[in-house]
């Protein structure tokens, strides 16, 4: 759900203005953070390997960096 929220809020935010736009990007950033925690839980429960999580983290780091810039 959190990963979908990132994409959906980015899509909605890009068509908004000013504070409303920023709010959608902030929600997307929060969801990206939630995905990070979910990956750590998945590794701890051995649903995925640390290597698999690391592959996702590379992309997720880029998304979080982009969202940081959009919210500042």
């Amino acid at each position: 759900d959190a990963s979908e929220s990132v994409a959906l809020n980015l899509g909605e935010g890009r068509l908004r203005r000013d504070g409303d736009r920023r709010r959608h990007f902030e929600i997307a950033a929060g969801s990206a953070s939630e995905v990070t925690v979910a990956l750590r839980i998945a590794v701890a429960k051995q649903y995925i390997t640390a290597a698999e999580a690391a592959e996702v983290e590379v992309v997720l780091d880029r998304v979080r960096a982009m969202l940081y810039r959009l919210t500042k």
Side-chain angles (χ1 to χ4, degrees), residues 45-71:
K45 291 189 171 194
Q46 298 181 343
Y47 296 148
I48 61 173
T49 66
E52 291 169 325
E55 287 181 35
V56 176
E57 281 283 344
V58 169
V59 176
L60 195 52
D61 279 344
R62 292 176 57 205
V63 170
R64 284 191 304 253
M66 174 192 65
L67 289 167
Y68 177 82
R69 289 187 304 273
L70 288 171
T71 59

Side-chain angles (χ1 to χ4, degrees), residues 6-57:
V6 173
L8 292 171
N9 277 291
L10 278 170
E12 189 166 353
R14 72 183 183 88
L15 298 176
R16 300 293 179 119
R17 296 214 177 265
D18 304 324
D20 195 35
R21 177 183 181 105
R22 182 177 172 186
R23 180 70 183 130
H24 281 284
F25 294 155
E26 288 171 343
I27 293 168
S31 294
S33 181
E34 187 178 349
V35 173
T36 299
V37 173
L39 281 171
R40 292 177 185 161
I41 291 169
V43 170
K45 291 189 171 194
Q46 298 181 343
Y47 296 148
I48 61 173
T49 66
E52 291 169 325
E55 287 181 35
V56 176
E57 281 283 344

